[in-house]
Amino acid sequence: MHKNTCWFFGDSFTRGNGCHPNHEYYKSSYTHGCERWTTTISKTLDMTEVNTAMGGESNLGILNSLISNIKNIKKGDCVILGDTRPVRVSSFDD
């Protein structure tokens, strides 16, 4: 049977910056059994986790990510939308 998906959209808090096994903070702070909050929620709901969040993302970027993925969100899926500081804006660098 197909599991529903738990979708996460947001900034570094939602992405879990510093909470990935290859990150220095994770190596020094996490113990066996620790996991990101998005993983805990997905497991609790018995859903597949899809975390689209990006560190430093603006609210407009978060909304654009949701819009880009809306075609993939199915009935029964869960969507968790995090926001960020309103002073963050999208910009581009050469």
Side-chain angles (χ1 to χ4, degrees), residues 10-48:
D11 64 0
S12 57
F13 175 76
T14 304
R15 183 178 181 278
N17 283 11
C19 302
H20 298 273
N22 293 330
H23 192 276
E24 186 175 325
Y25 173 77
Y26 182 95
K27 291 176 185 176
S28 67
S29 303
Y30 279 63
T31 58
H32 180 71
C34 286
E35 60 191 12
R36 290 175 291 153
W37 68 271
T38 55
T39 302
T40 301
I41 289 174
S42 298
K43 283 182 179 179
T44 300
L45 296 174
D46 192 30
M47 293 183 165
T48 302

Side-chain angles (χ1 to χ4, degrees), residues 11 20 33-34 48 53-54 58 60 62 67 72-73 83 89:
D11 64 0
H20 298 273
C34 286
T48 302
M54 291 179 52
S58 67
L60 183 58
I62 294 167
I67 291 168
N72 301 316
I73 299 170
D83 65 348
V89 295

Side-chain angles (χ1 to χ4, degrees), residues 8-9 16-17 23 28 30-31 33 39 41 50-51 55 57 66 71 73 76 79 85-87 89 92:
F8 295 91
F9 300 89
N17 283 11
H23 192 276
S28 67
Y30 279 63
T31 58
T39 302
I41 289 174
V50 175
N51 191 333
E57 189 63 275
L66 173 62
K71 65 187 175 295
I73 299 170
V79 174
R85 290 177 237 131
V87 297
V89 295
F92 299 92

